[in-house]
Amino acid sequence: MKLNTLLTSAALVLGLAAGAAAQDRTKVGFVYVGPVGDGGWTYEHDKGRQAVEGAFGDAVETVFVESVPEGPDAERVMTQMALDGADLIFTTSFGYMDATNNVAAKFPDVKFEHATGYKREHPNVSTYSARFYEGRAIQGHIAGNMTESNIIGYIASFPIPEVIRGINSAYIHASKVNPDVEFKIIWVYTWFDPAKEADAATALIEQGADVILQHTDSTAPQAAAQAAGNVVTFGQASDMGEYAPFPRVSSIIDDWAPYYIARTKAVMDDTWESMDTWDGIGPGMVGIGTISDAVPADVKAEALAMKEALGSGEYHAFTGPLNKQDGSPWLAEGETADDGTLLGMNFYVEGLTGEIPQ
Amino acid sequence: MDLSAINPVLLIASLMVAATPILLAAIGELVVEKAGVLNLGVEGMMIVGAICGFAIAVNTGSPLVGFVAAAIGGAVLSLLFVLLTQVALANQVASGLALTLFGLGLSALMGQSYVGVKPPAFAKLDIPGISDLPVVGPILFSHDLVLYFGLALVAAVWAVLKFTRAGLILRAVGESHDAAHALGYKVVRIRTMAILFGGACAGMGGAYISLVRVPQWTEGMTAGVGWIALALVVFASWKPWRVLLGAYLFGGITVLQLNLQAAGVAVPVEYLAMSPYVITILVLVILSQQKSSAPAALGRIFHASQ
């Protein structure tokens, strides 16, 4: 008992001392769902973190915890970060949504930023996401042109609106240039499991897919496609340039750095407010990686023109006429989807086969 | 739904690949447990083997040398377990868990400079004429050497445990270390060798993931395979051939469920996703209905003075 008391008070004194020293520095925490070396999703968030350090130097201190499972562990990690004096915490996976809000309730002075979610139950919670579906539209366009078997494989992670949006957007634009195109979709129920992703890619290739789109974070499907020889892939979340120019012919790159820097600045200046950010190609949150020469020049030109149009806002990736999978009308000619529907998207568009797991 | 899209020959060929890491790790752990030691560090030894094998294969250009290095890496890490449980007489469950956590961290550190690097390709068996045979060719004669090595290892472990004196001694140590000790057998030395063997097997299993199945290095890439191997040993009631059956069942259903999804079978994905676990456990539980055949001294600490 005595030793315990002694240790506790020692820890308290140390904590106070450290707290005093860290007073003038803004502490920013990051919670990652995968390892920083995944080469995809988490890798890009960590680049954003490094950009924050680069922008503010000694005025900030950043901490991160990687490979945090979505669930009670996430809540513990966030609580610990808040107790350790973090002023701003970025939680970078959809599955952290409830945990983020729960912890935010307990620490009203700490600001929380949750990526890809929609719940802002407390004034100290913001959400942010990128319009990846704009990138998926360009991928779909290239994929529809490149496929010869007319079978496109899609490795999907979890049946959440984010992923379903990507499938719909890619399908709409692939079938626009190639009406015979068929999507084979595998749900792997993980964001990061290289062995499983490789198996899924192999299964799709064995069933005739010659284009693989992935909504998982590792580069394993790229390696599987490379081994197969004549299969096209796209980098996901990060450029995955080590597989260019083939099989990786282009990529969707998430660029979180400007947002992270702006929000850290807001905390420093005391101007931080709860808000929802959803930026796409225009503001630069979604980038399109170099389209390699494996893509025919005319297709590449069309893809770049679409990128321009999406960026300037003159074209929306979900523009009518579009029907839902069951044939019921969704968008009329020329009508574009509103953000509310997109954020809660839980249906396939017409032409996709299979059911969304519920 | 279009089941004709599934090619059964390719399916069987890829299930053998998917099952091999589990098989290698499980057969090693089976020997360890037969010697009366419960090493929960399989996952840690696998991932350390995965990075050791990957790094050496990249640097030497030879995947085969990589596999040898993976076996050594896994065995070296298991030495730590030997030190804790056989010398310092620490609790085996806690030591094994520590080994897994340590291995995950250590491999991430060792692998820092290998992210995004491509390993040399592993040559596959290619016997002109035979490897091209329909059906039999792709299934039996067109894999990499390690896959055959895994199968041979199962046969060897089975034969050694069942027919040789060495196997008898190993089992004696696992059933009653006091009796074995009284007969003059070096319990600690035998267990140490078993643990090193288990470490080497787990290391090779890990390297199979990083060099053949995926093939690349990413942190945490074994993603729980070590735990499945551990469970498999128990459900296979410590019998080598059942380990093989379990590994192929698990690998097979994992690959099959992905294929069924891609073919658009109208079964909810959740059921498909859980099916490898459920079916493997069910089959092995039914097989092992009779009395539990766990080694009697499993997980108990031995000291000559007691």
Side-chain angles (χ1 to χ4, degrees):
Chain A
M1 270 324 260
K2 232 179 198 171
L3 185 68
N4 258 343
T5 333
L6 207 69
L7 283 176
T8 318
S9 38
L12 264 176
V13 170
L14 275 175
L16 285 176
Q23 255 329 283
D24 47 343
R25 296 173 81 190
T26 306
K27 190 166 178 177
V28 188
F30 293 81
V31 185
Y32 299 144
V33 71
V36 292
D38 70 352
W41 178 257
T42 298
Y43 174 74
E44 288 297 325
H45 282 287
D46 199 56
K47 268 175 46 182
R49 178 188 68 83
Q50 289 163 12
V52 169
E53 282 202 330
F56 300 107
D58 285 343
V60 294
E61 180 191 352
T62 65
V63 288
F64 68 87
V65 180
E66 56 184 347
S67 300
V68 178
E70 299 176 333
D73 273 351
E75 208 161 319
R76 271 211 301 281
V77 169
M78 288 169 209
T79 306
Q80 191 58 45
M81 269 185 183
L83 286 173
D84 285 346
D87 303 294
L88 173 65
I89 298 176
F90 291 96
T91 60
T92 65
S93 187
F94 179 80
Y96 298 154
M97 183 157 62
D98 292 326
T100 304
N101 282 288
N102 292 347
V103 179
K106 286 184 254 168
F107 297 93
D109 294 336
V110 181
K111 312 287 187 257
F112 290 83
E113 298 258 359
H114 177 233
T116 68
Y118 52 82
K119 280 189 191 164
R120 292 175 299 281
E121 290 169 354
H122 309 284
N124 56 333
V125 180
S126 279
T127 50
Y128 64 102
S129 184
R131 295 178 187 267
F132 309 111
Y133 66 85
E134 295 186 347
R136 292 278 169 201
I138 297 168
Q139 273 189 358
H141 182 82
I142 299 174
N145 276 298
M146 298 283 285
T147 179
E148 281 167 20
S149 65
N150 290 335
I151 298 173
I152 293 176
Y154 204 111
I155 306 172
S157 43
F158 294 95
I160 56 172
E162 161 82 52
V163 178
I164 296 166
R165 259 193 325 266
I167 296 172
N168 281 333
S169 177
Y171 179 76
I172 291 166
H173 294 86
S175 61
K176 206 173 264 177
V177 293
N178 182 349
D180 296 328
V181 84
E182 182 197 345
F183 268 39
K184 285 186 188 264
I185 300 164
I186 289 185
W187 297 94
V188 290
Y189 284 91
T190 176
W191 291 113
F192 178 80
D193 181 345
K196 205 168 188 181
E197 293 169 46
D199 286 346
T202 309
L204 289 166
I205 293 166
E206 282 172 2
Q207 293 198 20
D210 62 354
V211 177
I212 301 281
L213 306 182
Q214 63 178 104
H215 205 135
T216 49
D217 301 344
S218 91
T219 48
Q222 315 274 331
Q226 194 166 45
N230 55 348
V231 177
V232 172
T233 60
F234 294 85
Q236 158 67 10
S238 185
D239 193 38
M240 302 190 177
E242 63 268 28
Y243 289 92
F246 199 84
R248 171 225 164 272
V249 297
S250 182
S251 58
I252 299 177
I253 305 172
D254 312 342
D255 186 3
W256 305 107
Y259 181 77
Y260 286 170
I261 291 171
R263 298 304 276 170
T264 307
K265 187 92 179 55
V267 168
M268 288 172 159
D269 300 347
D270 230 5
T271 55
W272 191 96
E273 273 177 5
S274 170
M275 58 190 263
D276 177 39
T277 305
W278 203 19
D279 284 345
I281 289 176
M285 201 180 253
V286 175
I288 300 298
T290 317
I291 300 175
S292 79
D293 291 337
V295 179
D298 54 327
V299 177
K300 181 174 174 175
E302 287 163 19
L304 289 175
M306 186 189 282
K307 181 186 167 189
E308 278 300 306
L310 285 164
S312 66
E314 97 195 44
Y315 175 64
H316 192 286
F318 291 98
T319 304
L322 285 174
N323 290 346
K324 295 186 180 179
Q325 189 181 25
D326 56 13
S328 63
W330 173 33
L331 295 173
E333 175 85 42
E335 191 186 351
T336 58
D338 61 286
D339 280 0
T341 313
L342 288 181
L343 281 170
M345 189 172 250
N346 59 356
F347 58 88
Y348 280 152
V349 293
E350 192 172 42
L352 282 165
T353 51
E355 277 172 41
I356 300 172
Q358 295 299 335
Chain B
M1 165 160 138
D2 180 18
L3 282 180
S4 63
I6 303 177
N7 181 337
V9 175
L10 289 179
L11 183 76
I12 295 175
S14 48
L15 87 82
M16 294 172 79
V17 173
T20 299
I22 310 173
L23 180 65
L24 282 168
I27 200 71
E29 178 68 11
L30 181 136
V31 170
V32 177
E33 294 192 11
K34 272 288 184 190
V37 180
L38 182 65
N39 185 355
L40 295 184
V42 181
E43 177 85 4
M45 299 185 297
M46 281 187 92
I47 190 111
V48 165
I51 184 57
C52 285
F54 190 86
I56 298 296
V58 166
N59 287 326
T60 62
S62 161
L64 218 53
V65 178
F67 267 99
V68 175
I72 296 173
V76 167
L77 187 65
S78 71
L79 264 183
L80 185 64
F81 185 77
V82 168
L83 196 71
L84 288 169
T85 61
Q86 302 305 308
V87 181
L89 304 184
N91 179 291
Q92 292 180 0
V93 171
S95 306
L97 291 173
L99 200 67
T100 287
L101 295 174
F102 176 65
L104 286 170
L106 181 69
S107 64
L109 182 68
M110 290 164 68
Q112 291 280 323
S113 54
Y114 290 96
V115 174
V117 176
K118 275 176 243 170
F122 207 106
K124 292 193 170 171
L125 191 64
D126 189 14
I127 312 167
I130 298 181
S131 296
D132 302 328
L133 288 175
V135 185
V136 187
I139 295 178
L140 294 181
F141 300 108
S142 61
H143 292 293
D144 50 273
L145 283 177
V146 180
L147 192 145
Y148 300 113
F149 175 75
L151 292 173
L153 199 62
V154 174
V157 165
W158 168 74
V160 167
L161 284 178
K162 195 167 168 81
F163 297 118
T164 69
R165 192 174 169 77
L168 190 64
I169 296 170
L170 185 91
R171 283 187 287 145
V173 168
E175 292 299 337
S176 168
H177 45 223
D178 293 325
H181 176 67
L183 286 170
Y185 294 120
K186 308 283 187 213
V187 172
V188 171
R189 190 181 303 166
I190 291 164
R191 285 188 170 168
T192 302
M193 289 193 295
I195 294 168
L196 288 177
F197 177 80
C201 287
M204 281 190 289
Y208 196 82
I209 299 180
S210 65
L211 287 174
V212 181
R213 191 167 161 210
V214 173
Q216 56 172 262
W217 166 253
T218 28
E219 283 175 36
M221 69 182 306
T222 48
V225 171
W227 298 110
I228 292 164
L230 264 170
L232 208 57
V233 175
V234 177
F235 287 119
S237 355
W238 294 269
K239 292 190 169 74
W241 293 115
R242 285 196 193 166
V243 166
L244 179 72
L245 173 76
Y248 274 29
L249 249 178
F250 186 83
I253 299 166
T254 307
V255 174
L256 180 66
Q257 71 97 356
L258 294 172
N259 271 284
L260 288 176
Q261 274 201 47
V265 171
V267 175
V269 177
E270 293 85 348
Y271 293 112
L272 289 175
M274 71 167 110
S275 60
Y277 304 89
V278 174
I279 296 177
T280 308
I281 290 173
L282 264 180
V283 168
L284 292 173
V285 164
I286 292 168
L287 276 180
S288 58
Q289 262 177 337
Q290 70 275 47
K291 66 180 173 56
S292 160
S293 47
L298 183 60
R300 280 173 46 208
I301 292 170
F302 170 76
H303 189 264
S305 64
Q306 283 165 348

